[in-house]
Amino acid sequence: MIRIVIVEDQAMVRGALVALLSLEHDLEIVGEAPDSTTAINIVRATRPDVVLVDIELPDTNGIATVKMLAAELPDIRFIMLTTFGRPGYLQAAIAAGATGFLLKDSPSEQLAQSIRRVHNGVRAIDPDLAVAALTLGPNPLTPRQRDVLRMTRIGKSVQAIADELSLGMGTVRNYLSEAITATGAVNRHDAVRIAESRGWLD
Amino acid sequence: MIRIVIVEDQAMVRGALVALLSLEHDLEIVGEAPDSTTAINIVRATRPDVVLVDIELPDTNGIATVKMLAAELPDIRFIMLTTFGRPGYLQAAIAAGATGFLLKDSPSEQLAQSIRRVHNGVRAIDPDLAVAALTLGPNPLTPRQRDVLRMTRIGKSVQAIADELSLGMGTVRNYLSEAITATGAVNRHDAVRIAESRGWLD
DNA sequence: TCCGAACCATGACATTTGTCATGTCTCCCT
DNA sequence: AGGGAGACATGACAAATGTCATGGTTCGGA
């Protein structure tokens, strides 16, 4: 019997996944969580074999959660489940200690199979995404460029960013300009969008 | 026995929803579709009692799909299922002929209940969202303002938009400016984001 | 130790963007 | 017929944005 915890914020999807996995006789759902905080408590309490984690969570990022839990409980296997096939996410998830990485676009039959694979210590990673992650290469943004992009993302003005980082406005604009070039974007907002879609801002 | 078709693009979620509803003995899944085109064919062929439709679909919008099918097959009930609680979506869905409107954040138990309600001709609408839709009021954007916002959304420059619409650049910039004011945004990209989140661009 | 690469920081300049005043046209109400 | 409301259209102006040249710092390899 493989003991499983499911971490997924959308209640309807979470309930549906529970129903899906309950159909498999060798799998047992021992816990559910809608956010990182709950997830950490439940995993510590139940010590499951496999944890299924959605990356997009309301509080902390699912990757950070896995990183913490994987360090603390090395016997537990983690499978990331995500809507977005962002190569940067895959790279980060592997680095954090995840053994599996599935897209919500994948067929539902694959979920139970991947759980069994991962439980046996075998990696279960979407092959297309693995290729994309290799093709894409590493994050081309410098720390400062990421800073200004992140602050731009939440709607801060150049003036506000300059004040907060104790920089001249020209400097901030320059980082934005460099980030625009590095991402191949056409303006700062486009750069934010592209960097985010590649998982370069986390 | 209530006969159901599920329209949802993410395969894993679709499979999970099928598993969830299969647990209910008075419900029967008679078809599944990942996009609008397939959905229309399946619904015509199977004539279900209730169709569950995700709004965010890869090809056509789920609302447009319901509009067409509801006009053609008035005996069938439709429930919209969506990640985003956008009041404009609710307004548009009701206008298109949907009887139910659920968020993926809602508890999964509610799904089967809503299907039974809707099958009996009773509306099943998230109460918070209903209030929000009433509070928000109608779309404040003029057709031209929507045009330029839509084109801005897909990354077109002012010059490109002006050319395509045979307008002066000043005119296009003015529509953007008006849209920024109307949405309460701080710049054109913010205006796109806000208008989109309210369902004002479809 | 010297050199080059990478990152940080700034200001000058040209372009793009947002606002506003103005005018036209159509449609509806009186 | 007159008059107002609302949408369309434009150009002038001020402010924000993107680019570029330049210089400083740190750090690792030759």
Side-chain angles (χ1 to χ4, degrees):
Chain A
M1 206 61 157
I2 306 180
R3 304 174 68 250
I4 299 168
V5 164
I6 295 182
V7 185
E8 157 69 52
D9 58 324
Q10 295 189 326
M12 184 113 14
V13 175
R14 191 172 66 246
L17 286 173
V18 170
L20 180 71
L21 294 180
S22 297
L23 297 178
E24 308 288 329
H25 299 297
D26 57 336
L27 308 183
E28 180 187 7
I29 313 292
V30 297
E32 297 179 40
D35 55 58
S36 293
T37 313
T38 313
I40 290 173
N41 290 332
I42 300 236
V43 168
R44 281 184 181 147
T46 59
R47 300 298 176 101
D49 298 304
V50 177
V51 184
L52 204 58
V53 188
D54 188 1
I55 291 190
E56 294 84 25
L57 291 178
D59 50 350
T60 321
N61 188 295
I63 293 177
T65 310
V66 168
K67 193 171 202 162
M68 164 177 287
L69 284 172
E72 182 184 330
L73 302 165
D75 291 340
I76 300 181
R77 306 296 181 184
F78 296 90
I79 299 181
M80 310 303 308
L81 187 61
T82 176
T83 302
F84 308 106
R86 299 177 178 173
Y89 275 6
L90 174 54
Q91 294 167 335
I94 299 294
T99 310
F101 196 98
L102 288 180
L103 295 179
K104 289 187 184 171
D105 279 330
S106 316
S108 57
E109 300 79 34
Q110 201 171 315
L111 184 56
Q113 290 171 24
S114 296
I115 289 174
R116 294 187 191 102
R117 280 176 62 94
V118 163
H119 182 235
N120 289 328
V122 184
R123 288 202 182 286
I125 292 169
D126 188 283
D128 292 341
L129 201 53
V131 171
L134 286 175
T135 309
L136 189 62
N139 191 334
L141 300 172
T142 69
R144 276 313 209 198
Q145 290 167 15
R146 283 198 294 273
D147 287 343
V148 295
L149 282 186
R150 267 190 232 103
M151 296 173 80
T152 297
R153 174 171 56 165
I154 59 175
K156 283 202 195 298
S157 68
V158 170
Q159 179 68 66
I161 297 174
D163 287 353
E164 193 163 331
L165 298 180
S166 302
L167 292 175
M169 291 178 58
T171 309
V172 172
R173 292 216 310 282
N174 186 43
Y175 291 152
L176 286 169
S177 178
E178 290 171 357
I180 290 166
T181 304
T183 54
V186 57
N187 60 41
R188 61 184 67 182
H189 305 286
D190 199 26
V192 167
R193 201 177 47 71
I194 292 174
E196 197 163 32
S197 76
R198 304 256 215 276
W200 285 340
L201 292 189
D202 312 296
Chain B
M1 207 62 158
I2 306 180
R3 304 174 68 249
I4 300 168
V5 164
I6 295 182
V7 185
E8 155 71 52
D9 59 325
Q10 295 189 325
M12 184 112 17
V13 175
R14 191 172 65 247
L17 286 173
V18 170
L20 180 70
L21 293 179
S22 297
L23 298 178
E24 309 288 330
H25 298 298
D26 57 335
L27 308 183
E28 181 186 9
I29 313 292
V30 298
E32 297 178 41
D35 55 57
S36 293
T37 313
T38 314
I40 290 173
N41 290 333
I42 299 235
V43 167
R44 281 184 182 149
T46 60
R47 301 297 176 102
D49 299 304
V50 177
V51 184
L52 205 58
V53 188
D54 188 1
I55 291 191
E56 294 83 25
L57 291 178
D59 49 351
T60 319
N61 188 295
I63 292 177
T65 310
V66 168
K67 193 171 202 162
M68 164 177 288
L69 284 172
E72 182 183 332
L73 302 165
D75 291 340
I76 300 182
R77 308 294 182 183
F78 296 89
I79 299 181
M80 310 303 308
L81 188 61
T82 175
T83 302
F84 308 107
R86 299 176 179 174
Y89 274 5
L90 173 54
Q91 294 167 334
I94 299 294
T99 310
F101 196 98
L102 289 179
L103 295 179
K104 288 188 184 170
D105 278 331
S106 314
S108 57
E109 300 79 34
Q110 201 169 315
L111 183 57
Q113 290 171 24
S114 296
I115 289 174
R116 294 187 191 104
R117 281 175 61 92
V118 163
H119 182 235
N120 289 328
V122 185
R123 289 202 181 286
I125 292 169
D126 188 283
D128 293 341
L129 201 54
V131 172
L134 286 174
T135 310
L136 189 63
N139 191 334
L141 299 172
T142 69
R144 276 313 209 196
Q145 289 167 15
R146 285 198 292 273
D147 286 344
V148 295
L149 282 185
R150 267 191 230 105
M151 296 172 81
T152 298
R153 174 171 57 165
I154 59 175
K156 283 203 193 301
S157 68
V158 170
Q159 179 69 65
I161 297 173
D163 287 352
E164 194 162 331
L165 298 180
S166 302
L167 292 174
M169 293 179 57
T171 309
V172 173
R173 292 214 311 281
N174 186 44
Y175 292 152
L176 286 169
S177 177
E178 290 171 355
I180 290 166
T181 305
T183 53
V186 56
N187 59 41
R188 59 184 70 182
H189 305 286
D190 199 26
V192 167
R193 201 176 45 72
I194 291 174
E196 198 164 31
S197 76
R198 304 256 215 277
W200 285 341
L201 292 189
D202 309 297

